[in-house]
Amino acid sequence: MGPGPEDEDEEDTQRRIFVNMPLPPECIDEDGSPKQWFSRNKIRTAKYTPLIFVPKNLWLQFHNVANVYFLFVTILAIFPIFGASNPALGSVPLIVILLITATKDAIEDYRRTVLDNELNNTPIHILVDWHNPNVTDENISLWRRIKKATSRNIREGVAWYKAQKQDYKIKKKGGVPENRLERSTTRSSVYSVMSEHSESIQMTPVGSPSADKQRFSFTDDTEQAPRSTHLEVPNPKRQSINKPPSRFYGNVIDPHKTTPGKAKFKKDFWKNVRVGDFIRVYNDEEIPADVVILSTADSDGACYVETKNLDGETNLKVRHALHAGRRVRHAKDCEAATFTLESENPHANLYSYSGVVKWQQKDPTKPEDEGEEMAEPVSINNLLLRGCTLRNTQWVIGLVAFTGDETKIMMNAGITPSKRSRITRELNWNVIMNFCLLLVMCLVSGIVQGVTWSKGNESLNYFEFGSIGGSPPVDGLVTFWTAVILFQNLVPISLYISIEIIKLAQAFFIFSDVHMYYEKIDYPCTPKSWNISDDLGQIEYIFSDKTGTLTQNVMEFKKCTVNGFAYGEAYTEAQAGMQKRQGIDIEVEGAKAREQIARDRVEMISELRRINDNPYLDDEALTFVAPDFIHDICGVSGEEQAKANAHFMLVLALCHTVLPDKSSDDPSKIEFKAQSPDEAALVATARDCGFALVERTGSGVVVNVQGENKEYQVLNTLEFNSARKRMSAIIRMPDTGKIFLFCKGADSIIYSRLRAGEQQELRRSTAEHLEMFAREGLRTLCIAQRELSEDEYKDWSRKYDIAAAAVHGREEKMEEVSDAIERDLFLLGGTAIEDRLQDGVPETIAVLAEAGIKLWVLTGDKVETAINIGFSCNLLDNDMDLIMFKPDEADNIEEAGKLLDKYLMDNFGLTGSEEELNRARKDHNPPAPTHALVIDGDALKIVLEEELKMKFLLLCKQCKAVLCCRVSPSQKAAVCQMVKKGLDVMTLSIGDGANDVAMIQEADVGVGIAGVEGRQAVMCSDYAIGQFRYLSRLVLVHGRWSYRRVGEMTANFFYKNIVWTFALFWYQLYNSFDGSYLFEYTYILLYNLAFTSVPVVLMGILDQDVDDKVSLAVPQLYRRGILRQEWTQLKFWVYMIDGIYQSVICFFMTYLLFHTGGFASESGRDLNSRELMGVYVGCSAIVVVNSYVMMNQFRWDWVFALVTVISILMIFLWTGVYSAFTESGAFYKSAEHVYGALSFWATTFLTVIVCLIPRFSAKVIQKLYFPRDIDIIREQVRQGKFQHLYHNAGTGSKSAVSSAASSELIMKPDPNQQIYVQDDDRRPIYPPSVAPTATTTGKRASGNGSNGSDGSGYTGNGTFTPHRYSMDTGRPRPSMDRARPSMDRVRMSLDLHRPTRASFEVTSDFTSAAMLARLESSQSGIQIRRQSMLGDEIRFDDMRR
């Protein structure tokens, strides 16, 4: 802080907020009003107001081309010249659809309006009776007054009606009306005891919350009595430190300013908050706008917020008041505060903000002095965002910076791109084809009619009283539009709304599926985009994140390396997978491991208790099992190692941003609130080892070091981000006063910043240990430090403050300054954390692979970690060749191209030509399980260039699995886009974090996992699930059902319209295409609304070929979706031709009956009139269409049968009822005459038989001689071959497909190919039935496993992690009689002492021991020499030799 120099080259700040000072002339317009305009804080997510609902809703609905078309047809029908007999009835279908849609929109918008009003009228305390120069009183326009008056009158009318209705009910019961409470009196608040008068007085300082409500605390040196809310140990020996003089931060309050003293905080509404206002927020209240924090109830200026409304994270985050504003604690202080806030423009980034507060710092003793110009930077840590909730803080005073639509939460609203399903996109072309067909039919009608009139001497010349148009051309034009009305059903207006109803029902079924309900977090599968459910049935490629998606994102500290010594025992899933592919009996090895870890755990806990009776040690939560680590702290390996181990744990307890949480007093228990579960695991392990973080104060942290409380001053924290890949804390030590920088981060980042030429042996051993940890599937970090002199720190701190005060480019400047001090580090060691696989991941991946779906893993982890996880989750197997793609020169495109050519030719005999890529696009068969590709982010950047992208895609297409490691979020999205567009396939992306959002939005279907850390991915996804294992059911069951249903329903919908429309068209052949109606006009209107709509819609909702258990047992059934065979253009035209054929039969069967003469009814009336002939044809067509739809259904039950029968009977019922009234005109008594004639029933029966025989015959031939897989499986279900699925429900067992199965999709297994089966040998380490998830804090169980398990997933007595001896034999190690050490076991597993294939990390020079040992500090200007043996293929079966 201090004087804030302003960079002259920076562009002018767009937003300047002036507090208690007049606006400068450049900020005022000619009328004296502020030039700056700020958004109102009243938000409206609703589309409509009561005044504009009808016109706006109609306007939006008529954006649909189909609605415009049918409006045009309805308008045409109004004119008698076009022959529509009843225009009013003709408008019914359009009106019904518009009303249904409008009702749906009204209900949705009403709910949004209620929520908007609730939010806008939420109470908040605003400073009143003072002047805010940044805004003026609003001049409400006449239009806004009309809208507000209309809304107000409607609300009052509704409220009055409800009140009258309630009073009437009460009076009817003889009671007395209850007192109706106003909304403001019903809002619950801890401050509701205050009277309205007390709300208007000046704010008085409030005491800190009591211990039971304030779980987090800060030490206040000004308090008389010690506060009891911080975490304490019995009889702590709190060390005092000699703190240097505190820095003067300044004060925005002008001590000489004369104020009226009238200002007060008064309760008002959110919608009245304006930019530049002072507001006061109480505990548990939401923040109404983006607010800069000036002061809080805590003297250190800290407050806690919950941000789950923004990013889904439920953990609390700490925010800090400006140093210069912490004395603003009263309303009178707000009047006296004089400063300017210079802010960046509003933007959507939730994690970034740059601003600066500037003021004149005046001397209280010298009122005549102008004062010194001072500035303080404002960052995201000083900003409370709208939508956050204040927690564990009594009150906050802040200055409003952004309001309404300019707040970050509103700018992020609706960022998820709109997606349309593939069938919906293709459907537009089919509708266009139908429209073209309609155009041809209308043209034919118009031309024939015009030519007929022009010829003369025709029958119509004797029976017609002249033509309508008066001339042949006009007659043809009129007939054209008449035909448009007549054949309007050819373009199916009801198809769109039918598909919406079907997809809504499908989304409901997905949401209601209890088998996808994750009970632990009470989370069902939640569809967020309910209109793409059919896309789930066509997925060919799945792109998955690893951490939190395949794994639990529940971190457990397992191992570490300190000063060249490796500690910790863990038998991880990846290690078991590595041993399994080497031929080791992992059951025997695991049994030994579990037995050993039980003894080690008991020994370690005993040693920890002997050293210090740590009150915060939770025996059940211990995950770091390393008795030798405790022995070394006690000096067994010498004083140097003892100090190194103790210092290492102290650094873990200091270098973080974790908040301690006192969850219980008896016994004393601390849990940690961290933004990353990795940090919580590191700090929890330090706590278990006697270095417990017990309190975070305003200036530092308090750590209980072996029973003694010590306060460490935190001078600066350089936070972690994805670009830095490290975080640092600058600490002043209490004993010596020395300043240290502690840094933790990715090993490659830390190694590049070590002091050149030093610690060579330590670097080598640490790198080797880290490589071992990575091979075991552990996530590794390096820990380093640097001592800083006072002068060095002061000089750096001055530069840091200048960078922090910048408004423009602040992050870049701060990164540059941080980079300058994070150099010349000394290595301390490294950590290894396990992130266990989620339940059922291997089984899910295996069943997806059997379905023909290709899974790619895109992760930011190390290559070795990803490979080992790939083996443990069935993505890779021993028979695969791993293609390691990494060019020798990182940026050489030519070299990368040669490497691509080499791999394509050597492994697959391909050249990468366009013809080969075109063949690959058409080939949807799964690749042979012979190759897998591994690539890192640097190499991926090269191959994603345009000239190499297609070759790289062709290489990936030939590989069974692809692992992209060390990739950025943008690279994940680029890979997804490359596959989606390059191969023209359907893709699905699944992830759990903010770094997966780009990939999720890029894919055709995005799935978010509701993880324990945050739900950013869920907020932007199309479907949200609780665990990865639910993906198989979502895709293979609901996706396949939805795709098949929508595809079959759409084809049948087009078919039924063709039958009806062409029956009308054939009639035109015999009346010179004059547009006469064969059917009674109501038949045309009700055909799609009542006679045929329900069966086809029910088909789309409930039809089912096989149930869910069989769908999962035979995943090969899904491949029809990958091949897109349920909806094709061929299928469309087959159904169209079938419809044309049946229309011919329906019409001409009746025509042949009447063409030689007519019949007479019992009353003597002839039956050969147009209306009665229409009954013959119409009833036959309805029976045929509904029977045809039922024939195409797989599932026949009483519901379908009942609906089909009712739909068929509907036309008979309507004919009987409607023809009974004289208003029906020529149709009067038609039912009585037709239904009494035997010829009608005989013709109908024959027509139905002749129409359905071709389809029935085709189905019989296809199922008997050309059966599909589904036909065979359905037959096997009927034979009882899948009964075991129902007797053993929930076991997930699969049935082998019968040998009689079709070879169309269900491929015969290769005897040399490994078959995925669910036996104990394949999945012994992590059975879903016994390995529940865990939480990071306070619930880690007695073993290394997450639920008291032994680290292998099996619950038992104890845990396993064999001990290790140091790899440096020169150092003394305790002689202990124990099983083979963990590090030695891993060495033997890797077979490093025998001439075998080198590891991928070594050969490819990724982050590995080979690379790290050679890596000098690139930040110190030392040239890095890197040797590479890159691009070699590696066969894992070589390792077994």
Side-chain angles (χ1 to χ4, degrees), residues 110 114 155-170 180:
Y110 174 74
V114 170
R155 285 198 303 270
E156 291 175 355
V158 171
W160 178 85
Y161 172 76
K162 290 182 177 179
Q164 294 297 319
K165 188 176 181 180
Q166 184 70 16
D167 291 346
Y168 174 76
K169 290 181 178 179
I170 294 174
R180 289 183 293 275

Side-chain angles (χ1 to χ4, degrees), residues 132 211 428 833 873 968 1123:
N132 181 356
N428 290 336
I833 296 176
C873 67
S968 65
L1123 300 174

Side-chain angles (χ1 to χ4, degrees), residues 213-233:
K213 293 184 179 179
Q214 177 74 358
R215 295 171 67 183
F216 303 102
S217 65
F218 290 82
T219 303
D220 186 358
D221 296 335
T222 63
E223 291 184 315
Q224 299 296 326
R227 295 165 65 175
S228 60
T229 57
H230 62 73
L231 305 172
E232 298 179 354
V233 294

Side-chain angles (χ1 to χ4, degrees), residues 852-890:
I853 298 175
K854 298 86 174 174
L855 179 71
W856 292 16
V857 175
L858 313 179
T859 178
D861 277 351
K862 293 187 191 65
V863 176
E864 284 290 345
T865 304
I867 289 176
N868 287 329
I869 290 294
F871 275 95
S872 63
C873 67
N874 285 350
L875 190 61
L876 306 175
D877 61 50
N878 294 338
D879 297 326
M880 287 185 183
D881 287 343
L882 292 192
I883 300 176
M884 311 300 180
F885 189 91
K886 186 169 180 67
D888 291 331
E889 298 182 25

Side-chain angles (χ1 to χ4, degrees), residues 695-756:
E695 182 182 359
R696 183 174 284 275
T697 68
S699 59
V701 294
V702 176
V703 178
N704 181 262
V705 181
Q706 303 295 349
E708 182 179 21
N709 276 8
K710 294 184 179 182
E711 183 174 357
Y712 295 83
Q713 185 179 4
V714 180
L715 302 177
N716 296 91
T717 300
L718 311 180
E719 294 187 356
F720 175 90
N721 62 46
S722 58
R724 284 168 44 79
K725 296 184 179 179
R726 64 188 183 279
M727 74 87 57
S728 300
I730 301 179
I731 308 292
R732 186 183 295 276
M733 309 302 285
D735 301 321
T736 62
K738 292 183 178 180
I739 300 175
F740 282 90
L741 178 142
F742 299 123
C743 184
K744 66 182 179 185
D747 44 17
S748 58
I749 298 297
I750 299 300
Y751 265 68
S752 67
R753 296 175 177 276
L754 297 178
R755 177 166 293 183

Side-chain angles (χ1 to χ4, degrees), residues 33 104 177-178 291 388 432 589 625 666 881 1080 1136 1314:
S33 300
K104 176 179 72 71
E178 298 178 1
V291 179
C388 296
I432 291 173
E589 187 74 15
V625 179
D666 187 21
D881 287 343
E1080 211 288 323
M1136 293 280 283
Q1314 180 179 355

